[in-house]
Amino acid sequence: AQSHKFRDSNHLERQILQLKAKGLSNYRIARELKTDPSSVHRARKATLRQLAQAKTDLSFAESLKREKKRQYQHKNIEY
């Protein structure tokens, strides 16, 4: 089970990204969420890093899948 802190953190990060996507500044987001702008900035940067890593991981997994498929096809051709 996820801890409350982890769930709350994910919820906050999601809210920050949604508000940023609407064009709000870090200052305005902080006012909306009753926190400070530096916390908004750190949370947004951390979330963007996590998203970039997830994209890299997904790309790697897809390349492994393609390679496995290629090996399977090559193996079936040999017989």
Side-chain angles (χ1 to χ4, degrees), residues 3-75:
S3 72
H4 291 291
K5 184 178 179 181
F6 184 71
R7 279 192 303 243
D8 292 344
S9 174
N10 283 342
H11 181 69
L12 176 65
E13 290 168 352
R14 192 173 308 119
Q15 284 181 305
I16 289 170
L17 290 181
Q18 288 171 342
L19 292 170
K20 192 67 174 177
K22 290 181 180 180
L24 274 67
S25 68
N26 287 349
Y27 179 77
R28 292 283 311 271
I29 293 169
R31 284 181 50 197
E32 287 277 327
L33 301 179
K34 296 176 179 49
T35 188
D36 60 290
S38 61
S39 293
V40 170
H41 178 75
R42 281 191 308 275
R44 188 174 55 82
K45 285 188 73 157
T47 303
L48 293 175
R49 272 194 306 275
Q50 291 168 0
L51 289 172
Q53 184 61 51
K55 185 177 178 181
T56 300
D57 292 348
L58 181 58
S59 178
F60 179 70
E62 289 171 346
S63 71
L64 289 177
K65 185 177 176 182
R66 284 191 302 273
E67 179 62 21
K68 188 168 182 102
K69 183 178 180 180
R70 187 191 65 75
Q71 289 174 352
Y72 177 76
Q73 289 171 340
H74 181 71
K75 185 178 177 183

